Amino acid sequence: MTLTVNGRAQQAEPRPGQCLRTLLRELGWFGVKKGCDAGDCGACTVHLDGKPVHSCLVPAFRAEGSTITTIEGLADTVPGEGLHPMQQAFLDAQGFQCGFCTAGMVMTASTLDPAQKAELPRALKGNLCRCTGYSAIADAIAGRCSLDADADGAASGRSLPAPAGPDIVTGQARYTMDAAPVGDLAGLLHLKILRSPHPHARIRAIDSTRALAVPGVVAVLTHKDAPDALFSTARHHHHSDDVDDTRVLDEVVRFVGDRVAVVVAQSEAAAEAGCAAIAVDYQLLPAVFDPEAAMAPGAPVIHDKPATSRIADISRNIVAELHGHIGDVDQGFDAADLILERSYTSQRVQHAHLETHGAIGWRDTDGRLVIRSSTQTPFLTRDALCRLYGLPRDRVRVFAERVGGGFGGKQEMITEDIVALAVMKTGRPVKLEFTRTEQFAASTSRHPMTVRVKLGAKADGTLTAIEMEILSNTGAYGNHGGGVLFHGANECIALYRCANKKVDGHAVYTNTLPSGAFRGYGLSQTNFAVESAMDELARALDIDPFALRRRNVVVPDDPLISYDPHPHDVEYGSYGLDQCLDLVENAFADAVPGDPGPDWMVGRGMAAAMIDTIPPRGHTAESRLRLLADGTYQLSVGTAEFGNGTSTVHRQVAATALGTRAANIALSQSDTEHVRHDTGAYGSTGTVVAGQATQRAAQALAEMIRAAAASRLGVAPEACRLDGDAVVAGEQRLALSALAPEGLEAVGHASGSPRSIAFNVQGFEVAVHRRSGEIRILRSVHAADAGTVINPMQCRGQVQGGVAQAIGAALYERMIVDDTGAIANPSFRGYHIPSFADLPQTQVLFADTYDRVGPLGAKSMSESPYNPVAAALANAICEATGVRLTQTPFTADRLYRLLPDQK
Ligand code: FES
């Protein structure tokens, strides 16, 4: 058939059942993204004969004779040169973070008339964004611009644009799957995974005969093809911090969705048909879905592994446990005037980054294994592949293109290991891209947790004892189970000055989807518990919740201790919690309460949170910076860009030290070829650790340049000042390009220690409908102690996005595990992440501090805004209704049953 795409007549022969999205991508239009293939997210939006459509829902054959515009051709639809006005508006407002939704969002927004622009909640209901919280998108569509100018020597503290912005709004930014099957990828094969229908079973036999007979199938791989080695899918600086309980392919399956076998074929359809043709003989094993039942005597043992796997208690399915205390909690409770004890439960939620997991692997011309992956940890993934397959480091390269969202979900090796095996077995390039269903049913989630909190306090609110007991469901594999448990137990109570603290915790295997790293790394669940309990304590003692926090929070010189009395490398690099409390309290004091009418009950609530700015036990980074022949710079860093803004911040950090504009710094990142090591972009370390390495490299290079210029100009190095594209000494001016032949290059390192602390305070005003239980957020205010903010607009976006994601988790997101252990709602439609209509515009206020640990005074701020949200909402709902919700999500039907009018 013939169709016209972006003004070009193209021939295509769609396969039976093929959708327009895949056809357009096969024609090379990679700006058309896959988010769901179900019409829910809008990442694939194109114009079909001038109308925006979700191309995943349009049968390809229907496009015959049609005119199609994708993001790549949008600019050509308006007169004149340059961008379409909506592309320009998204650039001006930086209406994106990872950018994976942006093409679809721009395509829809470009068709809106003024009336539709005034009704964005309705107009954008078909386009989802997981990163921004939609505030920057609203700014773009309204034509607001808050960019600062890029000026020599003044890069830090300015709202400069992301360097990838022009590529993102034009569909030229390349993500993992945006690669044509040419060159190294010629002959690309497709990998599909046959997944277990049983929660726990032993594979007695696999018959691949019929699968291998499917036309196009090249190979079927089973546990007999996999290395007999155990590893953890979690990625951490020290791999021995995580339990080794996973095989690439195992003969035991432990959750519905676990890998059984893989088929590698010439097309996705053939690989899927191959999977369907495999015959598996299972011996069903007893399964357990509840963590408490899994620890009980007689429960089925999920991992019968050797002691070297580091599982805490194999017979009780305990992957990790924690028992620690300071002081004496019994004495503390004896000294209390009031003791309050409650349990709080947090559900399983999904990261729901719009780009699913995926990897492409091949052999390069030297025979090296190359993996192009959507990962937050290319270096740790390379090291894990080397250990798993016995390869030296220089025989494996892992790199990430732009990553379409991560939120911790891509701190996990769940595609690269199997792609590597398939490349080594077939000798051909191989691609694996998760479907949205696999993303929900077979990747990872946040850890469901039950947290019991017991607080003792004097009548004036002074805490005398804090006790906490955590039960965390790590699912079928241990991956981040221990790390999340230890971290979750820490900062939520280290926030409070109290001599007596005690924590007991267990992370427990069940035959359910594995849990993993997720924004907040355990703190969102424990913070919900502790900050809800603090609110209850404030009510019981009739003390204002802000006053109760001020009476008890740590202040500089207080020890930063939770359950572990041993010294840590955490220090007060700066302190802005007092400002954060004031900022939120004042914002509400200055605002007239909302009045949605007599059917609504209105209340306000707040919660506080603290986070260590760097993960413990090591997080290192290296940056390289080189002066180029034209007097600009090449910066290479290991950390990945997945919407966290590191590509902008690193250039600002380097430009500040080099007295130039950020635009003069070219950046390459997230490639094991470019620098020696970077632990990874998780724990908000892209700015505070990798940024520190960049700052050191830039300072060292500036010194080199001054020294080289001084010898040319015959002055002392101290007399030389870097000024844009030149070095200035008095009246003399030497162009940087003149120094380039000297090959000036500097390397910077950061060790990730010492660590500082950052703070967040969230306030909400909510209205609850008296009869339906519907919850509306009338006002959302977030104060953040991010140190000296390097890019205010970008940091504000991180906060708004974190709050938005946490609102979804607090109010309605929930992965439903049915009675077979399967995820019952593995789609955006069944799961529901916040759309434009669901979210308030969060007002973001920054404390004014300078951190002596972080680069240019900055602190981490990507994951921590998430943490206080659930408690602040629960506290506001309680203020409005008198109902204390102790279980997330706070759905309307759950609240409805508890409302006073319904009792
Ligand atoms: Fe919208 Fe990432 S920027 S999904």
Side-chain angles (χ1 to χ4, degrees):
M1 71 182 201
T2 302
L3 67 169
T4 303
V5 186
N6 298 327
R8 193 188 307 169
Q10 295 200 272
Q11 300 292 321
E13 284 309 321
R15 296 181 296 279
Q18 185 172 21
C19 69
L20 181 58
R21 178 191 75 76
T22 56
L23 182 80
L24 290 170
R25 287 182 62 84
E26 284 169 14
L27 292 173
W29 304 108
F30 291 124
V32 185
K33 300 299 185 210
K34 183 193 89 170
C36 65
D37 269 355
D40 297 328
C41 76
C44 65
T45 303
V46 299
H47 296 174
L48 178 63
D49 293 330
K51 295 268 187 321
V53 296
H54 290 181
S55 59
C56 68
L57 292 183
V58 178
F61 75 87
R62 290 238 178 103
E64 177 157 25
S66 297
T67 298
I68 293 161
T69 305
T70 73
I71 189 73
E72 291 98 332
L74 184 64
D76 296 333
T77 63
V78 292
E81 295 193 357
L83 300 174
H84 184 283
M86 192 52 72
Q87 291 173 313
Q88 188 61 51
F90 268 72
L91 258 189
D92 292 344
Q94 298 284 284
F96 52 82
Q97 285 178 21
C98 80
F100 202 77
C101 71
T102 308
M105 199 71 77
V106 169
M107 294 306 287
T108 298
S110 66
T111 65
L112 301 181
D113 60 30
Q116 290 169 316
K117 286 182 184 174
E119 275 291 330
L120 285 183
R122 180 188 294 269
L124 289 184
K125 68 177 190 239
N127 288 80
L128 296 175
C129 174
R130 189 53 155 172
C131 300
T132 60
Y134 301 97
S135 292
I137 291 169
D139 286 347
I141 295 173
R144 291 186 282 268
C145 172
S146 41
L147 284 176
D148 291 333
D150 192 5
D152 282 341
S156 183
R158 302 171 84 90
S159 294
L160 298 184
D167 284 344
I168 287 171
V169 301
T170 55
Q172 300 302 321
R174 289 292 171 256
Y175 297 79
T176 301
M177 289 297 136
D178 300 337
V182 295
D184 283 338
L185 300 189
L188 182 68
L189 299 176
H190 300 260
L191 189 156
K192 286 284 177 185
I193 300 172
L194 175 65
R195 297 190 176 278
S196 172
H198 305 297
H200 201 190
R202 184 174 299 282
I203 298 169
R204 280 196 285 239
I206 297 180
D207 184 351
S208 309
T209 314
R210 284 180 54 236
L212 287 166
V214 171
V217 168
V218 173
V220 176
L221 305 177
T222 72
H223 58 87
K224 293 186 176 153
D225 300 291
D228 188 18
L230 293 168
F231 68 101
S232 171
T233 60
R235 302 269 54 84
H236 280 118
H237 192 71
H238 301 285
H239 70 92
S240 57
D241 284 354
D242 305 309
V243 293
D244 288 336
D245 61 3
T246 305
R247 279 188 70 194
V248 176
L249 290 162
D250 204 344
E251 55 196 318
V252 175
V253 289
R254 297 178 176 85
F255 69 99
V256 175
D258 208 351
R259 294 174 181 174
V260 174
V262 303
V263 176
V264 191
Q266 287 165 357
S267 68
E268 274 190 58
E272 272 170 13
C275 284
I278 295 174
V280 186
D281 179 14
Y282 294 102
Q283 176 197 355
L284 300 190
L285 301 172
V288 60
F289 305 136
D290 176 72
E292 209 152 337
M295 283 199 297
V301 172
I302 297 174
H303 283 277
D304 189 7
K305 296 286 192 304
T308 50
S309 62
R310 300 181 291 279
I311 297 169
D313 186 340
I314 288 169
S315 67
R316 296 179 63 208
N317 291 312
I318 297 171
V319 64
E321 59 186 309
L322 161 62
H323 306 283
H325 72 278
I326 61 165
D328 184 328
V329 286
D330 291 336
Q331 280 184 15
F333 288 122
D334 286 345
D337 294 320
L338 183 83
I339 295 174
L340 184 138
E341 187 171 1
R342 298 280 187 277
S343 276
Y344 303 86
T345 304
S346 301
Q347 82 284 28
R348 186 186 296 277
V349 294
Q350 230 281 323
H351 312 78
H353 31 75
L354 277 209
E355 182 201 40
T356 59
H357 281 276
I360 304 174
W362 66 92
R363 296 273 194 197
D364 68 10
T365 46
D366 285 340
R368 282 187 320 167
L369 178 66
V370 182
I371 301 288
R372 166 179 170 140
S373 174
S374 181
T375 178
Q376 296 172 230
T377 58
F379 292 80
L380 300 187
T381 299
R382 175 200 59 188
D383 293 351
L385 292 174
C386 289
R387 280 192 300 278
L388 193 50
Y389 293 111
L391 298 168
R393 272 185 170 180
D394 62 359
R395 301 303 294 163
V396 182
R397 174 189 172 202
V398 177
F399 71 98
E401 295 285 351
R402 194 170 179 87
V403 175
F407 315 117
K410 292 172 179 172
Q411 192 191 338
E412 204 93 39
M413 186 171 73
I414 56 174
T415 56
E416 301 90 341
D417 60 319
I418 195 76
V419 166
L421 180 67
V423 170
M424 289 187 283
K425 290 287 181 185
T426 63
R428 302 261 299 268
V430 175
K431 161 184 159 179
L432 167 62
E433 181 181 22
F434 273 19
T435 64
R436 181 56 57 184
T437 302
E438 283 180 303
Q439 194 63 48
F440 276 106
S443 63
T444 58
S445 72
R446 183 175 74 164
H447 286 73
M449 274 189 201
T450 298
V451 182
R452 182 183 64 81
V453 178
K454 186 174 175 185
L455 301 177
K458 301 296 253 183
D460 68 357
T462 305
L463 289 168
T464 59
I466 303 174
E467 189 175 277
M468 189 162 61
E469 189 177 346
I470 302 170
L471 181 58
S472 175
N473 182 352
T474 194
Y477 293 93
N479 47 353
H480 289 271
V484 164
L485 176 67
F486 299 134
H487 186 249
N490 191 54
E491 290 101 303
C492 61
I493 59 171
L495 173 62
Y496 292 109
R497 183 195 323 117
C498 178
N500 307 301
K501 300 177 185 174
K502 180 170 183 285
V503 178
D504 293 286
H506 296 90
V508 181
Y509 288 122
T510 59
N511 291 110
T512 60
L513 178 81
S515 306
F518 190 104
R519 204 169 196 163
Y521 211 62
L523 279 176
S524 71
Q525 302 96 310
T526 55
N527 242 87
F528 166 50
V530 172
E531 291 301 296
S532 294
M534 285 295 285
D535 198 69
E536 289 199 68
L537 189 67
R539 283 169 199 286
L541 294 171
D542 197 21
I543 297 175
D544 176 83
F546 284 96
L548 184 68
R549 296 327 191 275
R550 290 193 182 96
R551 181 150 304 160
N552 288 290
V553 293
V554 289
V555 294
D557 295 334
D558 282 334
L560 289 162
I561 296 181
S562 52
Y563 53 84
D564 182 359
H566 301 105
H568 287 231
D569 60 342
V570 182
E571 58 183 57
Y572 291 88
S574 58
Y575 181 84
L577 177 54
D578 49 350
Q579 293 181 51
C580 289
L581 289 165
D582 290 348
L583 286 167
V584 173
E585 188 176 38
N586 292 339
F588 275 103
D590 293 345
V592 178
D595 182 12
D599 286 339
W600 297 83
M601 298 173 280
V602 175
R604 291 174 170 180
M606 58 78 65
M610 181 175 93
I611 195 164
D612 298 343
T613 57
I614 301 170
R617 295 181 41 70
H619 199 111
T620 67
E622 178 180 282
S623 295
R624 289 179 173 273
L625 193 56
R626 191 157 46 93
L627 178 64
L628 300 177
D630 62 357
T632 63
Y633 300 91
Q634 173 65 47
L635 172 63
S636 299
V637 300
T639 194
E641 172 65 81
F642 54 102
N644 49 354
T646 47
S647 54
T648 320
V649 164
H650 279 256
R651 292 159 80 242
Q652 291 182 254
V653 168
T656 302
L658 292 164
T660 189
R661 289 180 294 133
N664 286 337
I665 315 279
L667 179 71
S668 62
Q669 63 186 129
S670 52
D671 189 331
T672 56
E673 290 289 89
H674 291 170
V675 293
R676 218 155 33 91
H677 183 74
D678 187 286
T679 297
Y682 63 85
S684 299
T685 50
T687 294
V688 290
V689 179
Q692 205 172 56
T694 291
Q695 186 185 19
R696 287 173 182 158
Q699 288 168 338
L701 184 59
E703 283 302 311
M704 285 180 189
I705 291 171
R706 274 192 282 270
S711 86
R712 295 273 189 106
L713 299 173
V715 297
E718 304 78 57
C720 295
R721 177 173 58 84
L722 275 73
D723 181 22
D725 59 359
V727 181
V728 175
E731 297 296 307
Q732 302 187 81
R733 190 173 177 88
L734 179 67
L736 287 177
S737 54
L739 296 173
E742 301 197 17
L744 300 179
E745 181 178 64
V747 180
H749 294 101
S751 69
S753 183
R755 302 180 289 145
S756 184
I757 44 172
F759 298 97
N760 299 78
V761 175
Q762 173 70 45
F764 284 113
E765 181 178 290
V766 302
V768 179
H769 196 274
R770 291 181 190 281
R771 289 183 297 284
S772 70
E774 180 189 344
I775 300 163
R776 286 189 189 162
I777 298 173
L778 304 181
R779 192 171 168 83
S780 170
V781 181
H782 191 103
D785 175 22
T788 299
V789 177
I790 293 176
N791 188 314
M793 180 179 60
Q794 199 169 271
C795 194
R796 193 178 312 122
Q798 291 296 314
V799 174
Q800 289 169 328
V803 172
Q805 196 176 28
I807 287 173
L811 294 187
Y812 39 79
E813 290 182 32
R814 177 171 42 151
M815 300 177 78
I816 300 168
V817 179
D818 69 16
D819 55 10
T820 70
I823 302 298
N825 57 339
S827 69
F828 280 142
R829 194 158 304 178
Y831 179 76
H832 187 89
I833 66 171
S835 66
F836 193 104
D838 297 316
L839 291 172
Q841 301 289 309
T842 292
Q843 180 186 6
V844 179
L845 305 165
F846 290 117
D848 182 12
T849 59
Y850 182 93
D851 197 73
R852 65 173 179 267
V853 174
L856 302 175
K859 296 200 269 195
S860 56
M861 199 44 62
S862 285
E863 61 178 329
S864 56
Y866 190 99
N867 297 332
V869 167
L873 274 171
N875 299 341
I877 292 166
C878 186
E879 169 77 9
T881 65
V883 173
R884 171 58 59 182
L885 293 169
T886 58
Q887 186 178 358
T888 53
F890 313 138
T891 53
D893 61 329
R894 191 175 272 166
L895 179 54
Y896 162 80
R897 291 186 179 85
L898 299 168
L899 288 177
D901 288 357
Q902 308 305 324
K903 283 181 180 165

